[in-house]
Amino acid sequence: MAVEPKEYNLDREITWCPGCGNFAIMDTLKRTLAGLGLSPHQVLIVAGIGQAGKMGQHMKANTLHVLHGRLLPVATGAGLVNNRLKVLAIGGDGDGYAEGGNHLIHAARRNIDVTYMVHNNMIYGLTKGQASPTSTKSIKTPTTPQGNPLEGLNPITLLLGLKASFVARSFAGDKEQLRAILEKAIQKPGFAFIDILQQCPSFNKVNTFKWFKERVYDINEAGHDPSDLKEAFRVALEWGDRIPTGIFYEDPEPRPVFREAVLGGEDKPVTTSEINPLDITEIMEEHL
Ligand SMILES: Cc1ncc(C[n+]2csc(CCOP(=O)(O)OP(=O)(O)O)c2C)c(N)n1
Ligand SMILES: [Mg+2]
């Protein structure tokens, strides 16, 4: 039976500001999941702390709202014990690139079977506008009153450097592209990373919807081949008057996901496995 996007609706007050990019991202995610025939009970959303992390509170699915920056370790564990769930990790640029930066590196390296959506509004939204790792140089914020002295981090080149199995960027203002990318990412076994540029009308007055809209272009439409890692790096270095979006890199050949490395490819949830405890008596006696 076809799944309807409204099955993901929750009858609960939504606390995002009017004009927030999160509305378009959530709407697109619901349509994508329903379009793939996934029902809410088949999906787990592990959400970080921040406005982006509220996706987990505003959607009907299995959801875990975890500590700031710690969504990837939790998603790793959840996917290991129950591989029947489609695991999505959703958080902001502060959550993922600052506090959670270390986890991001190892999630990509391990190739955990998770789709990771970073809502990149280039600011700390929830805590009212402090600079994040992706904030533009010179932007004035409560933590950079003289202007941000640092260049923003480029998450795409970072993930390409880690040779993550799927590396993409989209924009909350292009629902069609976002849906096409999410569809591929969610179906892809292994770590699928999507940086989603997003306006924050309340706290980022520099990188506005209009600012993004005037700059983004689709690299795949422009002929970029996602199997070409070297070319992906070249394209990903662009940022300024033109901002590349689309799929930068996708493994040409599937590679083992973390679960296979840890559990030897056992194709069932751990909870359904027989309990077979190791006998550690000998080791214990040795140390008595
Ligand atoms: C361990 C910890 N450190 C800091 C905070 C405070 N804090 C909450 S959300 C947040 C950043 C939010 O920014 P981002 O992840 O970009 O999400 P957004 O609100 O912009 O969607 C911070 C620093 C916290 N809750 N917990
Ligand atoms: Mg943010």
Side-chain angles (χ1 to χ4, degrees):
M1 229 174 48
V3 182
E4 296 293 329
K6 67 171 188 287
E7 291 177 40
Y8 283 90
N9 291 355
L10 268 186
D11 188 15
R12 196 178 278 176
E13 189 198 353
I14 294 190
T15 52
W16 292 322
C17 307
C20 176
N22 282 328
F23 288 102
I25 302 174
M26 184 165 75
D27 182 61
T28 307
L29 179 61
K30 287 177 182 176
R31 286 173 198 279
T32 308
L33 292 169
L36 291 172
L38 289 163
S39 292
H41 74 275
Q42 297 172 298
V43 175
L44 169 67
I45 295 175
V46 185
I49 302 296
Q51 294 293 355
K54 289 184 185 172
M55 289 271 284
Q57 292 170 26
H58 295 337
M59 280 178 68
K60 185 173 167 190
N62 300 289
T63 62
L64 284 167
H65 203 176
V66 304
L67 287 175
H68 190 46
R70 311 294 171 207
L71 73 188
L72 289 173
V74 177
T76 304
L80 282 177
V81 297
N82 189 353
N83 60 326
R84 300 223 174 117
L85 283 174
K86 201 43 102 175
V87 184
L88 309 177
I90 305 180
D93 45 311
D95 188 271
Y97 303 144
E99 196 116 6
N102 177 22
H103 299 304
L104 175 57
I105 292 169
H106 298 289
R109 189 173 66 91
R110 290 173 176 150
N111 200 28
I112 63 171
D113 193 9
V114 167
T115 298
Y116 181 30
M117 299 164 61
V118 181
H119 298 202
N120 184 2
N121 51 16
M122 303 168 68
I123 209 84
Y124 288 179
L126 185 84
T127 47
K128 303 193 171 176
Q130 300 84 353
S132 89
T134 50
S135 288
T136 296
K137 193 167 181 199
S138 312
I139 190 172
K140 287 192 177 172
T141 76
T143 45
T144 57
Q146 316 283 325
N148 183 12
L150 303 176
E151 289 283 346
L153 168 105
N154 182 336
I156 304 296
T157 49
L158 175 69
L159 271 287
L160 290 175
L162 292 162
K163 208 163 178 275
S165 83
F166 183 99
V167 183
R169 178 193 280 139
S170 191
F171 167 45
D174 186 350
K175 285 175 151 189
E176 208 178 307
Q177 185 207 47
L178 179 58
R179 180 166 173 177
I181 292 176
L182 281 175
E183 247 166 40
K184 283 201 171 172
I186 291 168
Q187 287 175 285
K188 171 116 194 150
F191 191 59
F193 168 84
I194 311 140
D195 180 76
I196 306 169
L197 300 172
Q198 175 209 354
Q199 74 277 16
C200 172
S202 297
F203 298 109
N204 189 336
K205 307 285 186 192
V206 175
N207 313 103
T208 60
F209 182 87
K210 186 167 173 279
W211 189 92
F212 286 123
K213 187 87 182 158
E214 284 168 356
R215 287 167 173 77
V216 289
Y217 74 97
D218 189 305
I219 53 172
N220 307 118
E221 275 173 16
H224 173 63
D225 168 8
S227 68
D228 188 341
L229 182 60
K230 250 189 181 171
E231 179 61 13
F233 266 109
R234 199 191 62 75
V235 177
L237 288 169
E238 192 177 16
W239 179 271
D241 291 345
R242 276 161 55 87
I243 299 178
T245 64
I247 302 173
F248 289 80
Y249 181 70
E250 184 177 359
D251 268 345
E253 299 289 330
R255 63 173 128 141
V257 300
F258 188 52
R259 193 172 198 276
E260 287 167 30
V262 174
L263 297 173
E266 186 175 285
D267 188 24
K268 58 181 184 179
V270 170
T271 48
T272 64
S273 300
E274 296 215 349
I275 296 174
N276 183 19
L278 291 172
D279 185 356
I280 56 165
T281 323
E282 215 177 293
I283 302 167
M284 294 296 284
E285 277 170 2
E286 207 180 297
H287 292 89
L288 281 177

